[in-house]
Amino acid sequence: MRALLLPMKALGIDPKLIDYDDYSDWDAPRRKLEQLQVNCPYKTIVIDSITSAADGILSQGKKLKSGTAGKKINNIQVNSIEDYNAEDSALSELIALTKDIHNFHKVNIILIAHVMEVSHRSLTGETHTSRTIVTAGKRISIKIPAYCEEVYHFDIETGFDPSQGGTYRILTQHTGDDFARTSLPLPKIIKFGNDPLYSKYIKPGIDQLKQSLNQPPPTTT
């Protein structure tokens, strides 16, 4: 959160309007989300990030087995296949809880995830490289984007001059390497740099979609 103070100042966001908690396991954030199912005073809830949530889930598994018959390597407690199943179950529960909060309270839910490059070899021997969400288990990382209405891939567009740095941008459509999709009238690539992404680009797309849906169907003669 300290890293966000300068961007918040540049965008005119009052830090006093933001509440946040840090978690190191799964039990505490699950209780918080269950409370928000009943009473949610916020307009937006951000999970930052899926990757750190997975780490907390796996850490909880190791702590509960500490000193028992859990597997150890060089006297260091390590995760087993049961922990990866628990990660899948807990992250699925996180998706279900946030989906319920979104549907009932009509608030925005933002899930942030890190991606890594993976290679897949087909039956014909061809190798395809893509990026997927970083989780310990493979199944849950593939399922998470399917539950999201908007999926954006963030990256930095670099130019030919390294001294100029790069420009922050998002991809709103699938490129073959990076999964993304949008139901809004947005361009395939949005170069937002240091501009406020939501208010300048996403919100106008939402308003445009609502306006088109409210328009009466064309008449025919």
Side-chain angles (χ1 to χ4, degrees), residues 26 54 57-58 61 65 79-93 135-140 143:
W26 168 235
I57 294 164
L58 295 176
K65 292 186 296 184
N79 291 111
S80 60
I81 187 65
E82 291 80 7
D83 298 313
Y84 303 135
N85 290 334
E87 177 203 40
D88 187 301
S89 178
L91 289 178
S92 296
E93 189 175 14
T135 54
K138 295 181 179 180
R139 293 178 301 176
I140 187 61
K143 291 191 292 185

Side-chain angles (χ1 to χ4, degrees), residues 152 170-173 181-182 184-191 201-202 205 208:
Y152 306 143
I170 62 170
L171 306 179
T172 64
Q173 297 180 29
R181 71 159 178 245
T182 181
L184 303 173
L186 299 175
K188 182 177 181 180
I189 299 176
I190 299 177
K191 302 176 185 179
Y201 300 98
I202 308 302
Q208 184 179 344

Side-chain angles (χ1 to χ4, degrees), residues 92-157:
S92 296
E93 189 175 14
L94 183 147
I95 296 298
L97 288 168
T98 52
K99 183 178 179 180
D100 185 64
I101 295 169
H102 166 71
N103 290 335
F104 186 78
H105 295 287
K106 310 303 180 185
V107 301
N108 298 313
I109 303 292
I110 298 176
L111 304 178
I112 299 175
H114 300 87
V115 295
M116 66 177 180
E117 200 169 82
V118 295
S119 296
H120 307 277
R121 185 179 294 275
S122 67
L123 296 176
T124 60
E126 296 177 331
T127 300
H128 174 70
T129 301
S130 62
R131 279 173 280 269
T132 186
I133 293 175
V134 179
T135 54
K138 295 181 179 180
R139 293 178 301 176
I140 187 61
S141 65
I142 299 173
K143 291 191 292 185
I144 290 173
Y147 290 98
C148 300
E149 294 179 358
E150 299 290 303
V151 181
Y152 306 143
H153 178 80
F154 287 73
D155 67 2
I156 299 176
E157 181 182 62

Side-chain angles (χ1 to χ4, degrees), residues 151-204:
V151 181
Y152 306 143
H153 178 80
F154 287 73
D155 67 2
I156 299 176
E157 181 182 62
T158 56
F160 294 103
D161 185 359
S163 64
Q164 298 298 318
T167 300
Y168 292 112
R169 69 177 186 175
I170 62 170
L171 306 179
T172 64
Q173 297 180 29
H174 187 50
T175 64
D177 293 332
D178 300 305
F179 178 76
R181 71 159 178 245
T182 181
S183 59
L184 303 173
L186 299 175
K188 182 177 181 180
I189 299 176
I190 299 177
K191 302 176 185 179
F192 63 95
N194 293 322
D195 294 333
L197 175 62
Y198 179 78
S199 60
K200 188 170 182 177
Y201 300 98
I202 308 302
K203 185 62 165 59

Side-chain angles (χ1 to χ4, degrees), residues 1-11 13 15 18 20 22 48 114 168 194:
M1 288 301 296
R2 287 193 295 269
L4 296 178
L5 290 177
L6 287 178
M8 283 194 293
K9 183 178 180 181
L11 296 175
I13 299 174
I18 299 175
Y20 71 94
D22 287 323
D48 185 10
H114 300 87
Y168 292 112
N194 293 322

